[in-house]
Amino acid sequence: MAKLRYLGHSAFYLEGNGIKALVDPFLTGNPLAASAPDDFTDINYIFVTHGHGDHIGDAISIAARNDAAIFTCNELAGWLSSQGLRTEGMHIGGRAAFPFGRVKLTPAWHGCPIQADGELRYGGVACGFVIEVDGKKVYHAGDTGLTMEMKLLEEEGIEVALLPIGGYFTMDADDAVRAAGFIRPKLTVPMHYNTFPPIKASPQEFADKVNGARLSEVRILEPGEELIF
Ligand code: NI
Ligand code: MN
């Protein structure tokens, strides 16, 4: 049985056969964080969708302490490697097999700077992930606007889709409803809302629209809440 725990914002803990992972572990400075970086002592993988602080978050310190490998786009991975971390620097559309299952990087319409030493450097492109856990596919969209590429995910047979609904930097709830219609996942979990004033959104309104159109089942997770799938 696979397990998904919402940690607030776009951060999740994902567990299954051979995998104990964090996705976008923005915990320090996250007003909704349900965990602290030190809570994690046996993480083997970390997935980072892009270099913005509310996504790369505590990835570096947690990866170093747990000797975890960081999945992210190749350019950002190159920089993380230069910092002494283990990485899987894949790229958009690339799929590869790992001991726990396969991983595919998906397009995300967004930026991906490397923010280090008070400078902004080129960090490649933002991405999302399709991660196989116990043979089931979890799609974490990262930060992205609605894109036709999401329609390609329908044939992947996504079990759980994690979609931003907060607007301003990403899709808003109405566009996320359309995304759910493109992807048709079994379960949809809204994320990236209500952490900061510009991304205020109602997950219940999102759920009502998705349910009303019978696009997917929606589970609204409170930070700290867990889903078994
Ligand atoms: Ni971002
Ligand atoms: Mn963000």
Side-chain angles (χ1 to χ4, degrees):
M1 255 185 330
K3 191 192 278 187
L4 180 81
R5 185 157 74 240
Y6 188 41
L7 304 176
H9 200 56
S10 292
F12 290 86
Y13 171 73
L14 189 58
E15 185 183 316
N17 249 329
I19 181 168
K20 287 185 176 180
L22 290 168
V23 188
D24 284 357
F26 167 49
L27 305 174
T28 304
N30 175 355
L32 301 180
S35 296
D38 290 349
D39 294 347
F40 300 99
T41 54
D42 58 353
I43 295 295
N44 51 5
Y45 300 101
I46 299 177
F47 296 83
V48 173
T49 61
H50 64 290
H52 287 150
D54 60 320
H55 295 264
I56 193 166
D58 298 290
I60 292 174
S61 67
I62 296 172
R65 224 165 6 83
N66 291 259
D67 192 30
I70 299 180
F71 283 84
T72 191
C73 83
N74 194 271
E75 291 82 358
L76 181 52
W79 179 76
L80 291 167
S81 295
S82 77
Q83 306 299 300
L85 298 166
R86 294 200 298 121
T87 60
E88 292 290 347
M90 297 171 66
H91 228 301
I92 305 300
R95 173 143 46 199
F98 298 90
F100 60 86
R102 293 180 302 168
V103 173
K104 187 178 191 180
L105 265 62
T106 60
W109 281 109
H110 200 69
C112 185
I114 293 165
Q115 296 170 302
D117 312 321
E119 277 178 48
L120 283 185
R121 297 183 218 173
Y122 175 67
V125 295
C127 68
F129 294 102
V130 175
I131 307 163
E132 282 179 2
V133 184
D134 292 6
K136 292 174 181 163
K137 289 176 181 169
V138 176
Y139 168 56
H140 188 296
D143 275 0
T144 183
L146 178 68
T147 155
M148 282 304 289
E149 276 80 0
M150 289 171 177
K151 183 73 181 158
L152 299 175
L153 292 170
E154 186 176 6
E155 284 182 21
E156 293 274 351
I158 301 294
E159 186 80 10
V160 186
L162 313 172
L163 301 180
I165 66 162
Y168 201 95
F169 307 108
T170 70
M171 299 187 283
D172 63 9
D174 284 345
D175 276 354
V177 171
R178 296 167 71 194
F182 284 170
I183 302 161
R184 303 300 295 255
K186 196 162 166 197
L187 269 177
T188 301
V189 177
M191 65 176 182
H192 210 270
Y193 63 92
N194 291 354
T195 323
F196 314 111
I199 59 170
K200 200 167 160 24
S202 164
Q204 192 55 55
E205 267 176 40
F206 169 73
D208 291 346
K209 285 178 184 171
V210 173
N211 289 332
R214 296 174 180 273
L215 303 174
S216 173
E217 185 187 328
V218 176
R219 274 290 300 274
I220 299 167
L221 297 178
E222 294 300 322
E225 205 178 338
E226 215 164 73
L227 175 74
I228 304 291
F229 62 96

